[in-house]
Amino acid sequence: MNREKSRKIYEEAVKYIPGGVNSPARAFKAVNTGPVFVKRGYGSKIEDEDGNEYIDYIGSWGPAILGHNDERLMDGLGEVIEKGMSFGLPTKIEVDMAKAMVDSYPGMDMVRMVNSGTEATMSAIRVARGYTGKNKIIKFEGCYHGHSDSLLVKSGSGTLTYGVPTSLGVPKAVVEDTIVCRFNDLEDVRKAFAESDDIAGIILEPIAGNMGLIPGDKEFLQGLREITEENGALLIFDEVITGYRIAYGGAAEVYGITPDMACFGKIIGGGMPVGAYGGKREIMKIVSPEGGVYQAGTLSGNPIAMHLGIRSLNILKEDPSIYEEMIETAKKIEQGFKINIEKTGVKAKIVRYRNMLTLFFGEGEFKNFDDVEKCDTDMYAKYFVEMLDQGIMLPPAQFECMFIGTAHSDRDIEKTIEANYIALNNIK
Ligand SMILES: *Cc1c(COP(=O)(O)O)cnc(C)c1O
């Protein structure tokens, strides 16, 4: 597959943008190949600058759950734009969006829109600290919550891939208030609470998607719910990936566990840069201008982003079978890959939870960061390139998820399973 144009653009890009990209994963460094520059997307496919077509399992890292350029999303967008792009004053659609989110998410009474998932988590922990009057935050090894200072500790995904457990430039003093525990390990959390009475809250991805896919055990999440209640700390679900993906009501709905606060991003912008955080009324009332926790945003609640966000939510809500269909699609991939792994004898394991998947190049159980760290990332890199050359766009690192959307067709899945067999056979 010829990617000469992508290569040329990349040569230019590195002169003007650090690493040639505006977010590290896009450089494809973890898979020892150059980035693919995208020209356009349609349905389940994207086309690169060289005219190659790929079945897309990155889906903009989740937002493209309806596929690219969905007609229902684009419909009426021109009229919205004609009215004006941004005012820095409130618009009605922001209220509609907040109401749609509050209606969808268990235990959430109020929500504040921001511009990214990073902003959402950063603001949520500020609220937790402001509300409880305590300072420390528990996070889990391998969970990613964006790139704000205090959460950029042992944070999976890009940081995991590039071997930087904690970023340069993060002050020691900030990190001292972040306690890192083992995912799916309740004892570790109990120990942290036994050692400190200054814990404001726990933030986690209830279904981790940034160390490859690792769903939280139900007992673990239930335990966290109990521990936080006993200790006057807040439980914060980072549903930036899982919100409106894993189910309309996110992981909270699937597990039947209601957190005190939740963070959103990705899907809720329908492709535009958006985030949100929300929670119980008594907690959210502390946010400025109602309360004393300051948080603001010039472009927050942007009308175009709200338009695409609310359209996405409505489409996902209208058709109750939409999630079941995505899960069926994911199951077919799981089955197909499983058979291919057996046939080729490659040391790999496909993990699926509802409509998310990761193919781990390793064996045994994947319960936490230590387990995934043992994976053979060189094998993943080879596998990725083999798949790419067959027109399958996978996440360009072992520690990420394949995102299934409504646009993936049976034909796409068949092609993907066939390509998987060839790839595994070539790299074994
Ligand atoms: C992507 C992601 C974030 C950060 O969102 P950005 O919009 O990239 O800032 C936070 N939490 C989780 C779980 C994510 O996957």
Side-chain angles (χ1 to χ4, degrees), residues 62-231:
I65 191 165
L66 302 171
H68 298 286
N69 250 330
D70 185 272
E71 251 176 37
R72 295 163 297 179
L73 274 191
M74 307 317 283
D75 190 32
L77 191 57
E79 284 162 45
V80 178
I81 292 172
E82 274 168 20
K83 286 186 199 158
M85 305 273 204
S86 174
F87 306 104
L89 290 169
T91 51
K92 181 180 172 292
I93 195 162
E94 294 165 68
V95 187
D96 298 339
M97 181 70 181
K99 192 165 180 306
M101 290 187 69
V102 162
D103 285 346
S104 70
Y105 196 81
M108 188 161 79
D109 302 316
M110 293 180 124
V111 63
R112 171 59 69 80
M113 302 304 305
V114 291
N115 302 292
S116 67
T118 297
E119 269 188 71
T121 57
M122 177 184 85
S123 308
I125 62 169
R126 185 180 300 150
V127 168
R129 285 167 164 155
Y131 181 77
T132 59
K134 299 173 185 175
N135 291 300
K136 294 192 188 297
I137 296 288
I138 293 180
K139 81 173 287 291
F140 294 92
E141 203 170 357
C143 281
Y144 178 67
H145 305 292
H147 63 90
S148 72
D149 281 352
S150 57
L151 293 173
L152 204 53
V153 189
K154 299 196 173 172
S155 46
S157 162
T159 54
L160 198 59
T161 301
Y162 297 116
V164 200
T166 303
S167 171
L168 294 176
V170 173
K172 237 199 201 134
V174 172
V175 173
E176 272 166 14
D177 278 331
T178 306
I179 302 168
V180 182
C181 290
R182 252 162 75 104
F183 195 69
N184 275 330
D185 186 344
L186 214 45
E187 271 317 302
D188 213 21
V189 177
R190 286 212 179 91
K191 231 169 67 193
F193 275 98
E195 283 166 13
S196 172
D197 54 9
D198 195 26
I199 298 169
I202 298 178
I203 186 165
L204 84 160
E205 299 178 69
I207 299 157
N210 285 291
M211 48 178 157
L213 175 65
I214 302 188
D217 294 334
K218 182 151 191 191
E219 306 76 58
F220 172 64
L221 296 177
Q222 246 158 4
L224 295 182
R225 181 62 287 182
E226 283 156 23
I227 292 172
T228 43
E229 268 166 10
E230 285 160 15
N231 290 278

Side-chain angles (χ1 to χ4, degrees), residues 53 81 108 116 123 151 188 223 242 272 358 365 389 393:
E53 189 183 77
I81 292 172
M108 188 161 79
S116 67
S123 308
L151 293 173
D188 213 21
T242 47
M272 293 290 283
T358 294
E365 288 292 297
D389 284 340
M393 182 64 77

Side-chain angles (χ1 to χ4, degrees), residues 43 104 108 110 137 181 212 249 262 298 304 313 352 357 384 409:
S104 70
M108 188 161 79
M110 293 180 124
I137 296 288
C181 290
T298 302
I304 297 152
L313 263 48
R352 178 190 66 82
L357 303 135
F384 172 87
S409 67

